[in-house]
Amino acid sequence: MSKKPNWKKIPTVEDLKADLTSAQPSHQAHCDKIDKWLKKLAGEVQASAKPVKGRSQVQPKLIRKHAEWRYSSLEEPFLSTKDLFDIDPMTAEDVNGADENEILINYQWNTKINKVRFINEYVRTAVDEGTVIVQVGWLHEKEKRKVNVAVRLTPEQLQMKLYAMVSQGQLTQEEAIAKMQDPNEYVQWVKREQEYVKHNHPVVRICEYDRVIVDPTCEGDIEKAQFVIVPTETSISELLKDGTYDLSELFTDSTMSEIDKSKIDDDTFYSTFSSSQREKQLNPFTFKDVARKKLTMYEYYGYWDVDGDNKTRAIKAVWIGNTLIKLEELPFPDNKLPFVLVQFMPERKSIYGTPDGKLIEDNQDILGAVLR
């Protein structure tokens, strides 16, 4: 379980929620725009257009046809290249380091990341929604295995081992004397538990447009953003399996057998996200038991004055309801938030881009009206 760090000014859940509340209006306005573009992409007729009895409601998918041509042309350069990354040295002293880093990065890209799935999702998100938000990180996982290890015996240890075998009738004295002269008998193989690195490579994840709330004051530059908030769905069993969260305050007893429902029933902000509402309508299934019931967890990545000297450091805070379950300093050496934002068609002073659908939605509406 994680413990709170020894900081002078530890942010509270109320402090973190204040940023969430302030950024919610601009975030919701962006979600409404994308919802409109996605409905156009799916060929849905405008909700404001009232159906007329006896007339067709067909809508041509002009935007979708245009997007299908976009997908393959944008994916091909990334998926057809064996070595995607080409690292050039800055000075003569950097030649060897640049070559080694190029080999390593291309190896990780080709083997540790499902690049086909990532590029497919990346391109489709950019074309359909106009903005791609990628969360980057590093996966480091260890595991313990039992392996055979060679142990070198001293002459005294080998003599005691052979004496025990002679006493038990497993060897004769002549055989024991002969084994004392054999150098191979001084090596004994035993099973021991050793720790190995199971995973040690970068990870990337494309975030859903309605589940990433970015600081609206960054003026289109993600590196100037003071915070990024990611609400996700999780469960008590998943949090316990992770082992890095402090869940003691969520339960009414020390055995963690009964959860305090008053501390987790907080779905105020998450329920405003449009895609989550659609998912709940399409799939109303919910778990009834506490271990698997889905909870809303908020991950806060931002800069905070934790030392009380008016200087900020990059931190990560996680809360459920009104309970802070994790608080730590970001481990990344560049002291930056682990998000990359890419705009398909950039707009001035905006962190979000626009898709092709915005340019040809009028053509689709006119074509549909004429066709009907």
Side-chain angles (χ1 to χ4, degrees), residues 77-78 81-88 98-111 113 115 118-119 202 204:
F78 296 99
T81 304
K82 180 180 178 182
D83 294 331
L84 182 63
F85 299 95
D86 184 13
I87 301 178
D88 296 323
D99 293 340
E100 293 175 357
N101 288 331
E102 180 178 329
I103 294 174
L104 176 61
I105 292 177
N106 283 303
Y107 165 76
Q108 292 173 337
W109 169 253
N110 291 322
T111 61
I113 296 175
K115 63 178 183 180
F118 173 75
I119 292 299
V204 289

